Amino acid sequence: MEGQNDASSAPRCIGCGSLVRMLYVQYSPGNIRLMKCEKCKAVADPYIECEFMIILIDLILHKVEAYRHLLFNMLYLDSDAYKGILQSSVLAYIFLDAYKISFLNGGALDSSDSLLSAIWCWAKILTGALVEDLVFMLFILMGSKFVLNFSYNIERYREVILAIIISSYLKLFLLSTMVWESPLSVIHIVNIFVLSSNIVALRVVTQSQIGWCVGICCLAHVAKILINHWLLQLL
């Protein structure tokens, strides 16, 4: 099996980031040969033979190679699964932010609330999370456009959005607060890890200098925090 794609979705060498024609050749089931990058002469993507837990550990350690493997070689923009992955990731992203708002507000519901009141409360929280995330993504895209001189290409912007959303996977740790009682500091710790992960993902997907990516992500997260504080005052 050969990894053949056009330039917009071609796989990349996880070491130097260069485009490669294919990642491996499959001779028979379970018998593959990893291909080398023509530029750096190293194996283009050794993660192909790694267990998922190894990849996950390297993602948590913020290794650029692991992010290149995830964002370029596992997720192709023209694959049939791409739209489903993007849609489900967006929904999970908004839900987790809605839960974060509810957690910071001391719980969205009261046992004495009527069903109508509960529905109205959650509608406000979901709307707030949506507004918060739209502002955040707007800052990320504007930064990519004007600071990083991103060319106007809808596929490239979708690539940035997907990279930011997927690199926010550490938000899943918020679900542990449903099981164990946790202090509010957990939210801030998760936010710090998500910020650092977003910076690495933006650097990988835009192939830009780390300093610019730090500035864009920090500005976007500050805007999101301000919107979050404003929403908590309204709830």
Side-chain angles (χ1 to χ4, degrees), residues 23-24 32 34 44-51 55 69 73:
L23 297 172
Y24 61 90
I32 65 173
L34 299 181
D45 191 351
Y47 280 116
I48 290 175
E49 294 186 324
C50 292
E51 297 290 337
I55 300 173
H69 168 75
N73 298 342

Side-chain angles (χ1 to χ4, degrees), residues 10-22:
R12 293 177 182 265
C13 170
I14 66 170
C16 64
S18 301
L19 297 174
V20 295
R21 290 193 308 111
M22 63 187 74

Side-chain angles (χ1 to χ4, degrees), residues 21-38:
R21 290 193 308 111
M22 63 187 74
L23 297 172
Y24 61 90
V25 176
Q26 182 172 350
Y27 298 106
S28 60
N31 182 17
I32 65 173
R33 179 167 68 91
L34 299 181
M35 305 302 291
K36 292 186 176 182
C37 172
E38 296 180 357

Side-chain angles (χ1 to χ4, degrees), residues 13-231:
C13 170
I14 66 170
C16 64
S18 301
L19 297 174
V20 295
R21 290 193 308 111
M22 63 187 74
L23 297 172
Y24 61 90
V25 176
Q26 182 172 350
Y27 298 106
S28 60
N31 182 17
I32 65 173
R33 179 167 68 91
L34 299 181
M35 305 302 291
K36 292 186 176 182
C37 172
E38 296 180 357
K39 184 176 181 180
C40 67
K41 309 304 179 183
V43 173
D45 191 351
Y47 280 116
I48 290 175
E49 294 186 324
C50 292
E51 297 290 337
F52 176 74
M53 285 305 300
I54 296 177
I55 300 173
L56 179 60
I57 291 172
D58 282 353
L59 286 172
I60 294 175
L61 293 175
H62 291 4
K63 289 190 176 181
V64 171
E65 295 81 3
Y67 276 86
R68 285 195 181 118
H69 168 75
L70 176 65
L71 299 174
F72 291 127
N73 298 342
M74 286 185 64
L75 302 173
Y76 292 102
L77 293 182
D78 60 345
S79 68
D80 294 334
Y82 171 73
K83 290 184 178 180
I85 291 173
L86 180 59
Q87 291 170 358
S88 58
S89 298
V90 168
L91 290 176
Y93 189 86
I94 295 173
F95 169 79
L96 289 171
D97 275 336
Y99 176 73
K100 180 190 69 177
I101 294 174
S102 172
F103 184 80
L104 290 173
N105 198 36
L109 301 177
D110 190 283
S111 58
S112 61
D113 287 342
S114 64
L115 178 60
L116 186 60
S117 297
I119 293 175
W120 173 244
C121 182
W122 272 107
K124 289 193 297 182
I125 290 176
L126 286 172
T127 302
L130 182 60
V131 171
E132 179 181 302
D133 291 335
L134 285 175
V135 171
F136 174 74
M137 286 299 174
L138 181 62
F139 271 83
I140 292 291
L141 295 179
M142 287 178 61
S144 300
K145 172 64 178 177
F146 297 108
V147 179
L148 303 180
N149 295 318
F150 231 43
S151 59
Y152 182 77
N153 185 322
I154 190 64
E155 293 296 334
R156 294 287 281 151
Y157 286 117
R158 286 169 61 188
E159 192 177 38
V160 169
I161 292 173
L162 183 62
I164 293 297
I165 290 176
I166 289 181
S167 64
S168 301
Y169 61 90
L170 289 165
K171 287 184 178 184
L172 292 171
F173 286 106
L174 293 175
L175 298 179
S176 64
T177 61
M178 293 182 176
V179 181
W180 297 287
E181 185 176 350
S182 306
L184 292 178
S185 59
V186 170
I187 297 292
H188 304 305
I189 294 173
V190 170
N191 284 339
I192 291 173
F193 276 106
V194 170
L195 169 61
S196 59
S197 184
N198 287 163
I199 291 171
V200 178
L202 186 63
R203 178 192 176 191
V204 166
V205 81
T206 61
Q207 302 181 63
S208 304
Q209 293 182 356
I210 185 66
W212 292 116
C213 297
V214 169
I216 292 172
C217 289
C218 286
L219 184 61
H221 276 268
V222 168
K224 187 171 185 177
I225 290 172
L226 293 176
I227 294 293
N228 184 262
H229 283 304
W230 176 68
L231 290 172

